[in-house]
Amino acid sequence: MTGVRPVLVLTHVPHEGPGLIAAGIDGPLQIRTVLHDAEPRLPALDSLGGVVVMGGPMDADDERFPGLAAERRLLADAVDAEVPVLGVCLGMQILALALGSRLHLRHGTEVGFAAVDVVAEDLVLGALGDRPTVLHWHSDAVDLPAGATLLASTPATPVQAFRAGSALGLQFHPEVTVSMLDLWLGTPDMTADLEPEDVDAIRAGGGQHLPALVPAAEKAFAAFGELVRARG
């Protein structure tokens, strides 16, 4: 992988790592958590092949975590510089705010496996199919950023995915593997608001849907990896 620029992966909690995204990138990663640092030392964009922003339990505009503002600035600059960007769940919301969108707190809870309607073609998202069943784990939502293309939607969350130039935002979690799902379901912070039967339903949903979703997600993230490698 000599000569390939690394991808910066911004995480917010230890259990929400890049999962299948890492395999799709198939190159060097720099994993950082900068929540508590108002002025983090982040790599220069011209040294990066891409930027990935993962999920987390905090609000995307939570002022208790000044590093979120630094993430928003980085993402805005990355889109301006046409650096490949992928935001997942909280990461999508941070991306949307970076592009001038509005955040709607507690808009509607979606937790568990359910379908999303794909409404536009996209090189990366398209690998999942027209109506994939994916893992949701959120209650906040965002408006579609100005100039962005809506890619996927559900009745509860009108903006489930969007494309804005070099950036793709996904409100759901196609990066999750079987082992990641087991980790999440064993993490008290993830399941604190769930009833035992909800946890059982999510575990059963994983057994039903991940066998088809994982290979599709691998293709999607491989397409993102191609965009990263195209930067050299």
Side-chain angles (χ1 to χ4, degrees):
M1 305 305 294
T2 302
V4 176
R5 286 183 271 196
V7 172
L8 176 65
V9 180
L10 294 171
T11 62
H12 306 97
V13 286
H15 50 273
E16 295 203 43
L20 293 173
I21 299 170
I25 292 171
D26 189 27
L29 304 179
Q30 296 182 8
I31 300 178
R32 296 282 305 279
T33 302
V34 300
L35 282 173
H36 299 286
D37 192 344
E39 298 293 337
R41 293 173 61 90
L42 293 170
L45 286 170
D46 61 5
S47 73
L48 296 174
V51 180
V52 175
V53 188
M54 300 310 304
M58 59 286 299
D59 298 335
D61 62 353
D62 195 330
E63 295 181 354
R64 295 175 299 173
F65 302 104
L68 293 174
E71 292 185 29
R72 294 195 296 270
R73 292 192 298 269
L74 178 72
L75 291 179
D77 291 344
V79 174
D80 285 344
E82 299 183 344
V83 175
V85 170
L86 177 61
V88 177
C89 201
L90 174 65
M92 187 195 91
Q93 296 165 11
I94 296 169
L95 172 63
L97 292 180
L99 299 175
S101 184
R102 293 178 56 197
L103 177 69
H104 300 280
L105 298 176
R106 319 307 171 246
H107 178 271
T109 299
E110 290 181 291
V111 179
F113 285 88
V116 295
D117 291 309
V118 175
V119 298
E121 294 184 1
D122 184 79
L123 175 66
V124 177
L125 181 64
L128 298 184
D130 294 336
R131 199 168 189 267
T133 296
V134 294
L135 178 62
H136 304 263
W137 211 303
H138 73 101
S139 61
D140 297 344
V142 294
D143 292 335
L144 184 69
T149 299
L150 179 67
L151 298 179
S153 181
T154 61
T157 306
V159 181
Q160 282 281 359
F162 67 82
R163 166 70 66 181
S166 63
L168 172 64
L170 304 174
Q171 183 59 68
F172 46 91
H173 290 279
E175 81 282 10
V176 170
T177 64
V178 172
S179 61
M180 283 181 67
L181 182 60
D182 286 343
L183 174 62
W184 288 13
L185 293 177
T187 300
D189 287 348
M190 294 290 289
T191 59
D193 296 329
L194 301 179
E195 298 296 331
E197 56 266 29
D198 298 326
V199 174
D200 291 342
I202 295 169
R203 182 172 285 110
Q208 180 180 355
H209 299 294
L210 285 179
L213 180 60
V214 166
E218 288 174 337
K219 292 180 181 178
F221 296 133
F224 179 75
E226 289 296 325
L227 298 175
V228 169
R229 284 185 287 279
R231 278 179 57 79

